[in-house]
Amino acid sequence: MKEHQMKLAILNQLSKGGFHSGEALGEQLGISRAAVSKHIKGIQQWGVDIFRVQGKGYQLAQPMELLSEQAIGDALTTPFELIPIIDSTNQYLLDKQDLLDSGSVCISEYQAKGRGRRGRQWVSPFGSNLYLSMYWRLEAGMAAAMGLSLVVGVAIVEALQSLGINGVKLKWPNDLYYQDKKLAGILVEMSGQAGGAANLVIGMGMNLNMSEQVTGIDQPWTSLSEVADKPFSRNELVVAFIKAWHAALEDYELRGLHGFVERWNQHDNFLEREVKLIMGAREVKGIVKGIDATGAVLLETERGVEAYVGGEISLRKA
Ligand code: ATP
Ligand code: BTN
């Protein structure tokens, strides 16, 4: 068994709940208690809270529903790969795009090098969040790529609503917020252009039940467990998001952003609020008026309503 497969086998046992002695785990896996203890330390480094009680053994601090290839596969007709330990689900699809059908998905339990925009880190502990990427061949070409994070954002908010989870908002161009805290981020990356079509990878990281102990996030954040008023299933969420993305992306290919603008504006976290747009050294202040038909953010400034668009813009509360 490869190193991390041993850790995954231990996690599989622990995810059943209750205490598991080092001895019993060792016997199940054919390794020593000392080896179990070493693997437990490795699992803790993936961001999983495990505690040990003398005479009883190890237990997860929080219940954990692992992602299940079977459960997801049974509910989907489209291709996906579940790779529990990965560098980055976006990078994985970028690297193998030549072998993929449009709409193929990669999901993971843990990313060693999860990333956000402009090379920033996406904190990706094991088992408590979602890391989901989809390869999409956009026939309309690069010019249409800007709309993707908007379309996918709307699809996620609406999929959550259909599961009875309300109140999640959108921050232009690529984030999901709840009560002014970051819940999820979307990252669209290009893997090349073939003829007129653009090869894109769309990735989302969403916090589901992330431990308060995590470090490395320099802004207020939250988890879906804070939003939902009843328990949810990670596997069901994955399925719901993949289906919603497929439907939204197909719709976008046919009709463009048109059908999404109003829906996006309905969920805008900053609608009618004062913000600043940061563009390198330049800053513009104004009141947010939603997005326009091109996906640009509309800002009411002293000069009137202005439209801003481009990958290098960051929106912040004024
Ligand atoms: P903008 O894209 O508008 O500049 P941003 O600050 O959200 O906004 P991004 O590159 O989109 O920047 O996202 C990366 C940032 O997200 C990181 O710098 C960090 O502050 C934050 N972050 C990283 N991991 C998580 C996480 N798991 N949950 C919430 N926020 C996170
Ligand atoms: C952002 O807010 O900047 C976007 C964060 C995107 C994170 C997701 S997690 C799945 C996919 N793989 C990555 O490395 N990044 C995206």
Side-chain angles (χ1 to χ4, degrees), residues 117-120 146 172-173 277-282 308-316:
R117 296 209 296 168
R118 280 164 262 149
R120 284 185 289 231
M146 168 66 210
W172 188 89
L277 293 184
I278 306 167
M279 294 160 268
R282 193 173 155 226
Y308 290 89
V309 69
E312 297 300 310
I313 308 179
S314 292
L315 185 151
R316 297 278 180 275

Side-chain angles (χ1 to χ4, degrees), residues 120-122 171 175-177 180-184 207 210 216-222 315-316:
R120 284 185 289 231
Q121 185 200 7
W122 188 257
K171 175 188 161 227
D175 292 335
L176 285 95
Y177 266 52
D180 272 356
K181 290 178 279 198
K182 187 157 170 167
L183 169 72
N207 305 327
M210 188 155 69
I217 307 181
D218 53 8
Q219 57 179 304
W221 60 269
T222 189
L315 185 151
R316 297 278 180 275

Side-chain angles (χ1 to χ4, degrees), residues 106-255:
C106 174
I107 46 180
S108 181
E109 297 277 19
Y110 171 85
Q111 297 186 116
K113 290 189 188 145
R115 59 182 182 235
R117 296 209 296 168
R118 280 164 262 149
R120 284 185 289 231
Q121 185 200 7
W122 188 257
V123 173
S124 306
F126 186 100
S128 51
N129 296 334
L130 287 185
Y131 316 111
L132 185 162
S133 298
M134 185 180 284
Y135 165 69
W136 196 263
R137 191 183 145 88
L138 193 64
E139 297 301 334
M142 263 319 287
M146 168 66 210
L148 286 187
S149 64
L150 304 173
V151 164
V152 159
V154 170
I156 297 166
V157 173
E158 292 179 351
L160 288 171
Q161 283 182 326
S162 68
L163 294 169
I165 303 176
N166 298 301
V168 173
K169 299 279 181 187
L170 295 162
K171 175 188 161 227
W172 188 89
N174 67 325
D175 292 335
L176 285 95
Y177 266 52
Y178 180 69
Q179 293 181 341
D180 272 356
K181 290 178 279 198
K182 187 157 170 167
L183 169 72
I186 298 163
L187 177 67
V188 179
E189 294 181 290
M190 195 183 69
S191 63
Q193 223 160 343
N199 291 298
L200 297 148
V201 172
I202 308 151
M204 180 202 59
M206 180 181 285
N207 305 327
L208 298 187
N209 194 12
M210 188 155 69
S211 161
E212 296 294 329
Q213 313 299 321
V214 293
T215 52
I217 307 181
D218 53 8
Q219 57 179 304
W221 60 269
T222 189
S223 287
L224 198 66
S225 54
E226 299 292 316
V227 187
D229 49 19
K230 54 182 189 305
F232 49 80
S233 149
R234 295 176 77 218
N235 286 291
E236 280 172 25
L237 280 175
V238 165
V239 169
F241 290 152
I242 293 173
K243 287 183 174 170
W245 284 20
H246 276 137
L249 291 166
E250 274 159 19
D251 192 11
Y252 179 61
E253 290 260 32
L254 288 174
R255 280 181 282 275

